[in-house]
Amino acid sequence: MLGKTYQKMMEQVTPSEELLYRTKRRIEHQKPKRTMKRLILVVVTICICISISLTVLAANGMLFNIAPQLAQFMQPIELSSESEGITMNVVSAMNDDETAIVYLTLQDVEADRIDKTVDLYNYSIRGYSAFTHEVVHYDEQTKTATIRLLANGGEKLNGKKVTLKLSSFLSKKKTYEDVPLSIDLKNLEDVQTIPLDLNNIPGGGGEGFEALLAKQTMPVLKPSHQSPDFVAISGVGYVDGLLHIQTDWADSVDNHGFITLTDANGKEIQSYANLYFGLDQNGNTTYGRRYVEHLFQIPKENLPNVKAKGTFVENQNYTEGNWQVTFKIQAVNSSAILKKNVQIEGQQIDEVKITPMGISLSSVVDMDGLEISAILKDGKQISYTHSISIDRKQKILPELPIDISQIQEIRIGKSRINLQ
Amino acid sequence: MAEQVIDEAIAQYSNLVYRLAFSYTGKKSDADDLFQEVFLRYIRKKPMFESEEHARAWFIRVTINCGKRFHTSTWRRKTVPLDDEIVFEMRDEMDLYHELIRLPAKYRAVIHLFYYENLKVEQISQIVRRKPSTVRAQLTRARKMLKERLEGEFSC
């Protein structure tokens, strides 16, 4: 009985279209890029332009206003790189041996391509393997976005030169959530279909995607003539037991969206599968991503009781360029406390290293549900909020660095590490 | 790794990974993060699979390993709406879900592998790298806890 209920329950748990899309996009970031022509690396040693220096100073000031304790950990970098009329400044960084947090600014000195939705698309810091970033500040007047970038997986990079390279970013992102689609599902007319060769599509997704691929070919709706600025519904029809809703996307790097149905009880019905394809000049399907066929497993008689809605994300700007800054990554505060043979939650850890940036463990501990915090001498408690493990080592990070001379004790679940 | 291979892997193993991630974390937002981590690891490691069974075992083991090491970033939480509840169709499913998320994660994983993936205790023990006797004890404890909390709703 438990097994049956559990199975029925779990059948309802599926990854959303948005998650599948996001995952594929992140994977694209990770994939090695095609070999490019050898570039002459230009290391900009001193900021030449007064206005850039002012921006840097303003950015530093802004950072310290956000978190005054950053001042004692930040290493000022103040190096910049300009391409396509946009300046990237590496303002400052903090690091220990494995992890770096870099604050950088992007300023558009020619146009209006930087806003608070700016999203780094193709970027790397040589030597590190995992990244995340967020915009922490946007200055409307100077059109400058300040971005905090967290890089992990470095190996003894303290004191060495690293290169931050940015090749493209997205901006002017607009999200249209839960937009009701004006589709009359009660009176679907007969539709024209065209065959889609499932061996010649760039991809798709959904629970039923794999099963559809096995069919080799399947009918998709013949797209109605569209020239969308962003996205349009180019067809709706019921074919072979599946509801097809087709979207037509204008050529873009990262515009995307997904469609869901809602039944009379308000329950959402996710698509069974979706398929990407293109159309050639003769109106035949071909390899491409312009069209997305969203397929729903729903009996035809239920269609009058469902409504369709879509969530669409539009990136109005995709900017490519070549911004790169090489800088020496040097921890301002290189204090560290090393503890050997520490018991954490019943597990012996050979080495625990505590630095202002976080706690490094020589092996991985199951931290599931554990509260991790530093108790300072003044009684204040600071939580560690991130945990990353790479190559059987684990790093736990607080939101902001901590002066370890002020830490009395580290608490990991019920375990205590006394630093006094 | 070719884009087609990646797309196929996602299409083939997305439900396996996501359901295990959800059972392990109990939350949609955490399962989303864990799901991405597993497929990023797939790209980094580029594993070669000898068989379908090998591939499934790899995805299960990596999901569990990542789950153990995984704590969601508050940076992400700031930007991702926390719509963490899944509304299950039947009341007994909702009750079971609410009781499952009160169990320790390692119990939930074992329950999932046993009841959903239909793996035997020995297979689970190889994947989670615990002794068969430990897995058996965890299954027994988990069933007992569920039975007590659900007041005999299920005969396990």
Side-chain angles (χ1 to χ4, degrees):
Chain A
M1 182 68 182
L2 170 62
K4 276 187 185 169
T5 309
Y6 189 84
Q7 288 203 351
K8 275 169 55 195
M9 186 188 98
M10 271 297 156
E11 291 294 337
Q12 299 165 51
V13 177
T14 52
S16 66
E17 294 298 327
E18 172 70 3
L19 173 63
L20 294 172
Y21 179 83
R22 280 204 324 260
T23 306
K24 285 179 188 174
R25 210 193 121 192
R26 281 190 69 190
I27 284 171
E28 279 166 16
H29 285 167
Q30 300 274 326
K31 279 163 59 185
K33 300 290 176 277
R34 277 179 293 178
T35 314
M36 295 175 72
K37 284 181 190 168
R38 227 177 135 190
L39 296 169
I40 301 166
L41 296 181
V42 181
V43 179
V44 183
T45 49
I46 299 169
C47 292
I48 330 143
C49 176
I50 291 169
S51 67
I52 291 172
S53 298
L54 286 175
T55 306
V56 169
L57 288 173
N60 260 322
M62 183 278 301
L63 290 179
F64 301 147
N65 280 339
I66 292 173
Q69 69 268 43
L70 276 176
Q72 60 176 306
F73 299 102
M74 297 297 278
Q75 171 205 2
I77 308 287
E78 299 184 7
L79 291 174
S80 62
S81 170
E82 190 169 336
S83 173
E84 307 295 322
I86 291 168
T87 304
M88 177 181 83
N89 286 311
V90 174
V91 180
S92 46
M94 48 192 169
N95 68 285
D96 56 20
D97 271 347
E98 308 106 14
T99 307
I101 292 177
V102 179
Y103 284 88
L104 60 110
T105 60
L106 286 175
Q107 183 183 28
D108 193 342
V109 291
E110 282 184 358
D112 192 19
R113 291 161 291 181
I114 303 287
D115 68 352
K116 59 187 172 187
T117 70
V118 70
D119 185 4
L120 307 186
Y121 190 74
N122 192 356
Y123 67 102
S124 64
I125 301 183
R126 204 172 295 157
Y128 291 91
S129 56
F131 307 95
T132 179
H133 70 275
E134 65 170 350
V135 175
V136 291
H137 185 258
Y138 179 69
D139 188 319
E140 296 272 0
Q141 281 190 332
T142 59
K143 294 175 186 168
T144 305
T146 304
I147 294 162
R148 176 168 60 172
L149 195 157
L150 170 66
N152 289 289
E155 189 77 29
K156 302 200 184 311
L157 287 171
N158 194 13
K160 299 196 176 147
K161 283 184 175 175
V162 295
T163 299
L164 168 61
K165 182 173 180 179
L166 173 65
S167 303
S168 62
F169 64 85
L170 299 154
S171 58
K172 308 271 176 184
K173 183 186 286 188
K174 274 188 176 178
T175 302
Y176 307 88
E177 280 189 51
D178 294 339
V179 181
L181 303 182
S182 50
I183 298 173
D184 184 6
L185 292 173
K186 291 176 190 165
N187 304 302
L188 283 183
E189 293 170 3
D190 288 343
V191 284
Q192 273 191 296
T193 62
I194 47 177
L196 175 64
D197 176 1
L198 293 167
N199 295 311
N200 188 32
I201 59 170
E207 184 189 349
F209 181 62
E210 188 65 20
L212 291 180
L213 285 185
K215 291 183 171 183
Q216 309 288 328
T217 59
M218 69 167 290
V220 290
L221 306 178
K222 185 176 181 183
S224 62
H225 181 68
Q226 297 280 349
S227 300
D229 292 333
F230 165 40
V231 60
I233 302 294
S234 51
V236 184
Y238 199 82
V239 184
D240 294 345
L242 292 170
L243 172 66
H244 292 229
I245 300 178
Q246 190 183 77
T247 45
D248 178 359
W249 295 84
D251 188 29
S252 75
V253 172
D254 197 47
N255 290 348
H256 62 279
F258 55 96
I259 292 173
T260 48
L261 303 179
T262 311
D263 71 12
N265 300 320
K267 186 175 164 53
E268 283 194 355
I269 302 165
Q270 304 286 342
S271 68
Y272 168 67
N274 58 61
L275 306 164
Y276 295 83
F277 65 95
L279 212 61
D280 66 16
Q281 288 178 335
N282 300 321
N284 299 316
T285 57
T286 185
Y287 188 93
R289 290 181 180 271
R290 175 169 171 172
Y291 298 96
V292 184
E293 195 93 348
H294 306 263
L295 304 164
F296 296 86
Q297 265 187 329
I298 179 167
K300 198 170 185 182
E301 59 271 23
N302 290 359
L303 288 179
N305 302 318
V306 299
K307 287 180 179 161
K309 62 180 181 179
T311 292
F312 305 109
V313 179
E314 180 184 22
N315 288 288
Q316 293 175 336
N317 265 354
Y318 177 67
T319 309
E320 288 183 306
N322 180 23
W323 301 269
Q324 57 180 25
V325 169
T326 300
F327 57 99
K328 194 172 179 182
I329 195 147
Q330 186 99 50
V332 171
N333 183 333
S334 57
S335 57
I337 298 171
L338 201 62
K339 295 274 180 182
K340 299 269 185 186
N341 301 322
V342 178
Q343 287 284 327
I344 297 178
E345 293 290 297
Q347 190 175 328
Q348 176 154 319
I349 309 298
D350 294 343
E351 195 175 287
V352 175
K353 189 177 178 185
I354 297 141
T355 69
M357 297 276 290
I359 306 168
S360 303
L361 308 180
S362 59
S363 51
V364 175
V365 176
D366 184 353
M367 298 281 181
D368 192 29
L370 298 183
E371 297 246 342
I372 307 160
S373 59
I375 307 297
L376 304 188
K377 287 175 182 168
D378 62 5
K380 200 175 163 193
Q381 187 166 357
I382 300 174
S383 293
Y384 288 76
T385 49
H386 306 52
S387 177
I388 302 128
S389 56
I390 294 168
D391 295 335
R392 296 182 185 169
K393 290 180 186 170
Q394 192 162 12
K395 182 81 176 261
I396 310 159
L397 299 105
E399 186 76 8
L400 291 167
I402 305 171
D403 180 354
I404 58 171
S405 68
Q406 297 304 308
I407 302 179
Q408 176 131 358
E409 183 181 76
I410 298 286
R411 293 181 181 173
I412 302 177
K414 288 176 185 165
S415 305
R416 304 283 183 266
I417 305 172
N418 193 337
L419 302 196
Q420 296 304 304
Chain B
M1 193 172 270
E3 191 172 324
Q4 191 183 349
V5 175
I6 297 163
D7 282 348
E8 282 175 9
I10 291 179
Q12 192 160 354
Y13 300 108
S14 60
N15 281 343
L16 170 91
V17 171
Y18 192 76
R19 285 169 181 158
L20 179 56
F22 181 75
S23 79
Y24 198 88
T25 62
K27 292 177 186 172
K28 259 166 59 178
S29 59
D30 288 350
D32 285 5
D33 290 342
L34 183 47
F35 178 88
Q36 293 196 34
E37 185 57 36
V38 171
F39 281 101
L40 289 175
R41 192 160 296 202
Y42 172 71
I43 297 306
R44 287 199 289 267
K45 300 278 179 189
K46 302 180 181 62
M48 298 295 288
F49 301 124
E50 293 159 10
S51 61
E52 166 66 15
E53 195 181 322
H54 181 201
R56 289 179 71 81
W58 188 90
F59 276 104
I60 290 172
R61 191 169 63 248
V62 170
T63 307
I64 288 178
N65 287 346
C66 289
K68 282 180 185 170
R69 302 163 191 182
F70 197 82
H71 278 239
T72 46
S73 151
T74 51
W75 293 9
R76 280 188 58 76
R77 281 181 177 278
K78 280 175 195 165
T79 54
V80 178
L82 288 175
D83 178 19
D84 266 356
E85 280 280 312
I86 288 187
V87 181
F88 293 104
E89 285 171 359
M90 308 300 288
R91 194 181 153 192
D92 58 349
E93 293 160 1
M94 279 308 294
D95 291 345
L96 177 58
Y97 166 65
H98 283 130
E99 292 310 327
L100 279 166
I101 56 175
R102 292 172 61 197
L103 293 180
K106 57 190 175 189
Y107 287 12
R108 291 201 297 267
V110 169
I111 286 270
H112 184 82
L113 296 177
F114 187 81
Y115 284 113
Y116 192 77
E117 295 299 334
N118 294 318
L119 297 179
K120 294 183 175 142
V121 168
E122 287 71 23
Q123 291 172 300
I124 298 172
S125 87
Q126 282 174 5
I127 288 172
V128 300
R129 296 190 174 139
R130 293 176 210 144
K131 291 177 190 166
S133 57
T134 308
V135 172
R136 210 167 281 120
Q138 288 177 343
L139 258 177
T140 307
R141 273 186 228 132
R143 285 174 183 142
K144 188 169 176 244
M145 288 162 92
L146 286 174
K147 199 174 176 183
E148 283 169 5
R149 291 172 184 173
L150 292 163
E151 294 175 348
E153 194 170 333
F154 300 111
S155 56
C156 304

